[in-house]
Every structure is written in C-alpha cells, then in structure tokens.
Amino acid sequence: MSTTTSHPTRRTAIRWTQLQLHLILLVTSVLMAIPFLWMLFASFKPLDEIFRYPPSLLPEHWTTRNYDTGFAQVDFVRAFANSVTVALSVTVISLLTCAMAAYAFARIRFAGRGILFTAFLCTMMVPPQLTIIPLYIIMGRIGLLDTLWALILPSGLFNAFGVFLLRQYVKGIPLELEEAAAIDGAGRIRTFVTIVLPLLRTPLVALGIFLFLGQWNSFFYPLIFLNSTSNFTLPLVVNQFKGALTSDWGALMAGVTIAAVPMLLVFLLAQRKIVEGIALSGSKS
C-alpha cells in the first residue's frame, strides 16, 4: 500500500522540480533578451528618448530617422555583402579542411600523430593578438593587405577547434564501414567522400554555424587588415558611428540591429542542429 501511494507523490515532486527549472529558464531568458530588445526599440527612438530617465522600453514616438541617417552615411549594402562573402568563404573552406584533418588524425596512423595533434590543440591557447604582427607581415609580403582574402585565408585554412570537434565524431564512426569500402576497392579519398563525410553532416552544420557567427561578428582582424571603406565589413561600418568625442547613438543602434538580426534568425532556425552536433561530438571517445 505504501509503495502504491509513494508513486503519485514522487511524480508530483518530479513535476514540481521540472516546473521550477522551466521558470528559472524563462526568467533567465527574459533577462538575457532585455538588452537586445532595448537595442531594437532604441533604433526607432529619437535621441532624447534614448537617454530619458527613467528609461522606457517602447518608444513614445516611433521614427525611422536613425535608419535613414545610417544608410545615408555609410554603405550598409556593400558592407553586408562583404560580411556575407567573408563569412561564407571561411565557413566553406574551414569545414573542408577541418573534416580532412580530423579524418587524418582519427584514422590514419603516422609517426608523431599524437604529438602533432597535441601541438595542434595547443594553438587554441595562443591569443590572436600574439600572432597578428607576423600574420600582418605575411599578408603584406604576398600582397593581400586591404583585401577580403586577408580575412578568409588565415581563418579558413587553420582551425584547431574545428579539427578537434570533428575528430571526436569521426572516432565514433564504426570502422567496419570503412573496411567494407576497402574490400570493394575504395581508397582513402573515396571512402572519405562517400562514407565519412555524409556521416559528419550534423557536426558539420553545428561547426558551420559557429564559424559563420564568429566571422560575422569579427572586428579585430578586419580592423587590422582593411583600410578601404569599400572593403569594410559590418562591424567596421557600425563602428564609424562612434566617434572619439561624440556618437550618433540612434544610428549606432540601427546599425547594430541590422548586423544582429540576421544572425539571430540563423541561430533560432538552427539551434537544434547546434545542440545535436555538440552533444554527439562530445559523447565520442
């Protein structure tokens, strides 16, 4: 009798715990969304309402002057195209090189593989500020300064985090699939393209989103390598609204909104793939 009555009590306790967790997550989500909502609504406010005290979330007088001013002062369309070009190029190149390197480290046995992989991972601990000077010199020597290639090549050809993430997943793919392909006469390249690469779809999507978001929001490298306004990406264009003495805060909020909304939509649409990719890759030994 006691066992029968304990089950409803246990289920009630579990449901109450789940309700508490959901309430905590809801409150946390609202708190995290407030800065973004304030930025969004501030882009439609006159300047006096942005600094009004006590502040209000919704504008009393809606206006698009901030967007008109922003598009009149800078070329948002060209900057948007530059950001898309850099982000897409780095993402595609990185996914290809990371997948090949991950397969090599996970499946191909060669002398010094462990030491090389450890050294490869150690590069993640090196701050980018330490390598920016030699990288700047290299880009200057090969004539790529003030071009989008100066942003694409260094980030696209070397990504230790991407290699580590995909290697963990490749190690979890059954080796029997590759052995069967070898019996049918498939070489390393064919096995990688036809068997391994399709099975990496989930972590590749997750890694691709991380890479795209990182390049879209990148400010440090474009600031160093780009000089011509025609090559500026969105972060550099938005930074033009903030001066040393005065800043056009309305136009700044409009510019940041233009830069942030596309990435927010990408994240909302692909958040399940991100979680799946990290969970599956992290569970591999």
Side-chain angles (χ1 to χ4, degrees), residues 134-145 149-150 153-154 225:
L135 192 58
Y136 185 89
I137 296 174
I138 294 173
M139 292 295 108
R141 292 284 180 86
I142 60 180
L144 294 182
L145 285 180
W149 286 108
L153 291 182
F225 291 124

Side-chain angles (χ1 to χ4, degrees), residues 21-22 62 65 84 89 105 112 190 195 237 249:
L21 291 175
H22 284 117
W62 292 79
R65 186 194 67 84
V84 171
S89 301
F105 280 122
R190 184 179 176 184
I195 295 179
V237 166
W249 293 104

Side-chain angles (χ1 to χ4, degrees), residues 97-110 113-114 116-117 120 162-175 178 188 192 196 200 284-285:
T97 56
C98 289
M100 292 189 296
Y103 179 72
F105 280 122
R107 287 289 191 258
I108 301 176
R109 297 185 178 276
F110 54 89
R113 181 180 66 169
L116 181 60
F117 183 68
F120 200 74
V163 174
F164 171 75
L165 185 69
L166 296 180
R167 174 182 173 272
Q168 298 301 103
Y169 196 90
V170 171
K171 291 180 65 175
I173 297 177
L175 190 59
E178 299 178 43
R188 285 286 187 185
F192 172 75
V196 177
L200 294 177
K284 307 301 177 183
S285 59

Side-chain angles (χ1 to χ4, degrees), residues 145-208:
L145 285 180
D146 198 23
T147 66
L148 298 183
W149 286 108
L151 306 178
I152 295 172
L153 291 182
S155 301
L157 296 178
F158 190 86
N159 191 308
F161 171 75
V163 174
F164 171 75
L165 185 69
L166 296 180
R167 174 182 173 272
Q168 298 301 103
Y169 196 90
V170 171
K171 291 180 65 175
I173 297 177
L175 190 59
E176 289 78 8
L177 295 176
E178 299 178 43
E179 293 175 348
I183 294 175
D184 291 337
R188 285 286 187 185
I189 297 178
R190 184 179 176 184
T191 301
F192 172 75
V193 174
T194 60
I195 295 179
V196 177
L197 201 58
L199 294 176
L200 294 177
R201 180 175 56 185
T202 298
L204 282 174
V205 171
L207 178 60

Side-chain angles (χ1 to χ4, degrees), residues 25-41 57 264 268:
L25 292 175
L26 178 61
V27 173
T28 305
S29 301
V30 171
L31 292 176
M32 295 180 65
I34 288 177
F36 175 79
L37 293 176
W38 190 91
M39 175 195 71
L40 176 63
F41 290 125
L57 183 63
L264 180 64
L268 291 177

Side-chain angles (χ1 to χ4, degrees), residues 2-23:
S2 60
T3 304
T4 305
T5 57
S6 64
H7 288 308
T9 304
R10 184 179 302 174
R11 286 196 296 267
T12 302
I14 293 175
R15 290 175 181 174
W16 174 245
T17 302
Q18 292 177 344
L19 179 60
Q20 289 178 320
L21 291 175
H22 284 117
L23 288 176

Side-chain angles (χ1 to χ4, degrees), residues 173-249:
I173 297 177
L175 190 59
E176 289 78 8
L177 295 176
E178 299 178 43
E179 293 175 348
I183 294 175
D184 291 337
R188 285 286 187 185
I189 297 178
R190 184 179 176 184
T191 301
F192 172 75
V193 174
T194 60
I195 295 179
V196 177
L197 201 58
L199 294 176
L200 294 177
R201 180 175 56 185
T202 298
L204 282 174
V205 171
L207 178 60
I209 294 172
F210 286 137
L211 293 171
F212 193 89
L213 291 175
Q215 291 301 316
W216 186 271
N217 296 321
S218 177
F219 177 77
F220 180 64
Y221 282 104
L223 180 65
I224 299 298
F225 291 124
L226 301 180
N227 297 319
S228 303
T229 55
S230 60
N231 292 328
F232 278 7
T233 57
L234 275 175
L236 292 184
V237 166
V238 172
N239 187 60
Q240 290 182 322
F241 295 115
K242 189 175 185 304
L245 300 178
T246 60
S247 301
D248 191 344
W249 293 104

